[in-house]
Amino acid sequence: MTSTTPANAVEDTSLPPTVGGVAGAPGSARAAELVARVQGGADSAPIRMRAPFTGLPIATLPQATDADVRKVFADARTTQRAWADRSPAERARVLTRLHDLVLARQDEVLDLVQVEAGKARLDAFDEVSATALVAAYYGRHAAKILAPRRIAGVIPGLTRAGEIRHPKGVVGIISPWNYPLALTAMDVLPALAAGNAVVQKPDNQTALSALWLHELAEEAGLPAGTWQIVLGRGSKIGTALVEESDYLCFTGSTPTGKELAGQVAKRLTSYSLELGGKNPMVVLPDADVAKAATGAVTACFSSAGQLCVSVERIYVHEDIRDEFTRAFVARTAALRLGGALDYQAQMGSLTSEDQLAAVSAHVEDARAKGASVLTGGRARP
């Protein structure tokens, strides 16, 4: 694949303060403002976030303890009751205002997503658009979705029945690093619309995007304390999240999901899990090869392939195998890579050194088993 020059990581006093050495990004003071929204962690060893583009520090993150998390849940239960007493329409209006704020201030969060996740700006915009759509949808439809309903009784005409929807209480949400803004919105906003309080644990690698949306939600009218954010490793605070949540929402790996499901089952509470994918693409002999190859590039390399619905393998009918391979390789080789905060690059960086090691291992494993690398296949600086 061809590459563009990454943004200059050398300090230039003619530029505003940068985050992670990426010119044009929100300054370190802004990152500190967002981190100040994290709950707990005063007595726990903090960790440093680093920018994938440069390897330079972005922010220092406090890490919550088990006791911190349990206190946050206790506080959230008090706040939740007042929030649930508001009408669904009133709660929905907060999300409508949030939609407007996200779009009005998207430039800042586009920078944040790029800097902390290493994404190309177009992939970062996918997150902004998804967040705005989720806020708009529940802002418009939540009141109707949550309204009481009449349903037929056991004996029509003689009996009546109805549905009344109640909040779960305090929803615990464990969010992944690969879509830090969009997956925060997709889980947090409907939980809030339904009258729940939320305690969220975003991943340490990409915490700033969630904190940015949290700030905007309170600016849109969400009462302080209704949505709270804690940071920490699952090994340290995972038990508290499971034991204190009235409903647990997890997005991440299948092994971790299985473990959490077992823990939640012992409490007889509810949960939702969105786990890893293993997705094939099938190209049949009557396919338009050019369109199929273009679609394959998007399906394989959006967000540098770091999403659960990414295509991991392609099955092509032998009649068009050679033609498709040539088209797919050509389009892949033409991808523009880069680390600037603009729309020039089509693909950014992997998010972490662990991801780089995993991808490199896959490439070497394929080579060892007889695969031919037709383009790429090597790490970039």
Side-chain angles (χ1 to χ4, degrees), residues 18-44:
T18 63
V19 173
V22 181
S28 55
R30 183 70 177 108
E33 288 176 359
L34 294 174
V35 171
R37 308 185 74 80
V38 176
Q39 297 296 311
D43 300 323
S44 185

Side-chain angles (χ1 to χ4, degrees), residues 25-201:
S28 55
R30 183 70 177 108
E33 288 176 359
L34 294 174
V35 171
R37 308 185 74 80
V38 176
Q39 297 296 311
D43 300 323
S44 185
I47 68 166
R48 269 190 166 184
M49 295 175 70
R50 294 187 178 275
F53 288 146
T54 65
L56 297 176
I58 301 174
T60 300
L61 303 178
Q63 301 292 282
T65 63
D66 183 281
D68 288 333
V69 173
R70 295 183 192 276
K71 181 181 184 305
V72 167
F73 271 94
D75 294 342
R77 294 194 193 286
T78 300
T79 309
Q80 186 270 330
R81 288 189 285 271
W83 176 243
D85 285 342
R86 298 193 183 191
S87 69
E90 187 178 355
R91 297 195 298 263
R93 283 194 287 272
V94 173
L95 301 189
T96 300
R97 291 192 291 269
L98 177 60
H99 162 272
D100 296 342
L101 287 171
V102 167
L103 292 182
R105 297 187 20 205
Q106 62 180 279
D107 285 347
E108 182 179 45
V109 80
L110 286 168
D111 288 352
L112 281 176
V113 171
Q114 281 199 271
V115 168
E116 68 175 1
K119 297 190 181 216
R121 202 167 189 84
L122 186 61
D123 292 329
F125 182 75
D126 282 346
E127 297 213 45
V128 171
S129 61
T131 298
L133 284 168
V134 169
Y137 177 83
Y138 287 104
R140 183 171 182 177
H141 298 291
K144 182 178 179 180
I145 293 170
L146 297 168
R149 299 179 186 178
R150 289 277 299 275
I151 58 176
V154 176
I155 304 174
L158 297 179
T159 59
R160 294 187 303 175
E163 285 182 0
I164 300 176
R165 302 180 185 276
H166 297 281
K168 291 285 188 181
V170 182
V171 175
I173 295 176
I174 302 173
S175 305
W177 51 266
N178 60 336
Y179 274 76
L181 183 67
L183 291 178
T184 290
M186 290 177 185
D187 293 337
V188 170
L189 300 189
L192 293 173
N196 300 288
V198 169
V199 176
Q200 181 195 8
K201 186 193 89 66

Side-chain angles (χ1 to χ4, degrees), residues 292-302 327-328 331-332 335:
T294 299
V297 168
T298 300
C300 292
F301 300 120
S302 293
F328 180 54
R331 284 164 173 75
T332 302
L335 283 172

Side-chain angles (χ1 to χ4, degrees), residues 272-294:
S272 65
L273 308 174
E274 192 215 331
L275 307 178
K278 197 73 176 172
N279 309 299
M281 177 177 178
V282 180
V283 187
L284 301 178
D286 61 345
D288 182 316
V289 170
K291 289 182 179 179
T294 299

